Amino acid sequence: MKSLVARALFNSYSYSEYKKIVSDLLSEGKSTGNEQSLDLLNYSALNEARIKRLDKTITVFEHISTKLKTLKKEYIWLVIAEGWCGDAAQILPILNKMASESDKIKLKIIFRDANDDLMNQYLTNGGRAIPKLLVIDKEYGKVCSDWGPRPKGATDLIVNYKKQFGTINEEGKAQLQLWYLKDKGLSVQEEVVEMMFSIKECVCL
């Protein structure tokens, strides 16, 4: 596992580098990942606009910022994502703003389809759901905890929608994006901070 993490970190990108890769591919009529389709291309373009908006509007709540500033150890937040993923577009700007609040956190991003071995260690109900945040102890290079692909409220919405309609159609996706809009990043911030302060050194894997 440690070698998988090291390899992923070697091939990781900063937040700005990640956005540039997605943007450059879009200019070529492509999306990130192994699969290419018009739908994924359209999702990628929508997500690029969404990230630009969230970069300007998302703020870190004061109680979250205060807690982040008290972190004692140094961590790397390694996020598995893809440019076409709507949840990643909603969550990455939040994590970026959170990481900027503490000199103990460094945010790095990798692409899911280019890191199958690591992704397969962090499946969600057997699926390769993203984004997935891996919290790495910088000193030891070990994954201490993970979070994702969605905050609980968003997960509950999707589960209930599937129960009612059997699938997540465009209406379901629209409801999910509306949930994120109303939540203003609070759930992600609170869940991730709670996870960070529940980490015990002895449980690093």
Side-chain angles (χ1 to χ4, degrees):
M1 173 60 74
K2 193 171 181 179
S3 63
L4 289 179
V5 172
R7 191 182 312 136
L9 287 174
F10 183 78
N11 294 311
S12 66
Y13 303 95
S14 68
Y15 183 60
S16 60
E17 288 171 338
Y18 169 84
K19 291 192 295 181
K20 186 177 187 307
I21 290 170
V22 173
S23 181
D24 287 349
L25 284 171
L26 276 172
S27 69
E28 299 172 10
K30 300 176 183 177
S31 62
T32 68
N34 296 335
E35 184 181 347
Q36 298 293 319
S37 71
L38 182 58
D39 282 345
L40 292 179
L41 184 62
N42 290 336
Y43 291 144
S44 297
L46 180 62
N47 288 336
E48 183 181 42
R50 184 175 287 135
I51 285 177
K52 287 180 180 178
R53 174 178 58 81
L54 290 171
D55 281 341
K56 295 177 181 178
T57 60
I58 280 292
T59 59
V60 178
F61 291 86
E62 186 175 353
H63 67 288
I64 299 294
S65 176
T66 300
K67 277 197 153 186
L68 288 170
K69 286 179 170 62
T70 67
L71 286 170
K72 304 299 184 187
K73 297 196 67 175
E74 291 187 73
Y75 297 96
I76 300 170
W77 283 2
L78 181 63
V79 185
I80 306 173
E82 291 285 354
W84 44 259
C85 176
D87 290 289
Q90 291 285 358
I91 291 169
L92 280 173
I94 303 171
L95 296 179
N96 179 58
K97 289 287 181 73
M98 292 176 71
S100 70
E101 293 291 310
S102 172
D103 60 3
K104 302 295 185 184
I105 302 170
K106 185 175 184 179
L107 178 65
K108 303 295 284 185
I109 305 167
I110 57 174
F111 291 97
R112 185 192 71 175
D113 291 357
N115 294 272
D116 280 337
D117 290 344
L118 186 61
M119 179 73 255
N120 289 336
Q121 300 297 316
Y122 295 95
L123 302 179
T124 302
N125 299 321
R128 300 164 73 241
I130 52 175
K132 181 70 76 167
L133 165 63
L134 309 183
V135 180
I136 300 169
D137 183 306
K138 186 176 180 180
E139 181 180 1
Y140 297 106
K142 297 180 180 179
V143 177
C144 296
S145 192
D146 64 90
W147 178 92
R150 299 183 180 105
K152 184 179 184 302
T155 298
D156 290 344
L157 184 153
I158 290 298
V159 169
N160 292 332
Y161 195 92
K162 278 185 177 179
K163 283 182 180 178
Q164 185 174 358
F165 299 103
T167 187
I168 302 300
N169 53 22
E170 291 304 316
E171 173 60 26
K173 292 175 183 177
Q175 287 192 23
L176 177 62
Q177 299 310 318
L178 184 60
W179 183 93
Y180 278 116
L181 182 65
K182 291 181 177 179
D183 185 72
K184 300 183 185 301
L186 178 61
S187 294
V188 172
Q189 293 181 40
E190 290 189 333
E191 290 182 21
V192 170
V193 162
E194 181 181 358
M195 173 189 62
M196 292 300 298
F197 283 88
S198 69
I199 291 173
K200 305 296 183 185
E201 188 170 347
C202 61
V203 302
C204 286
L205 304 175

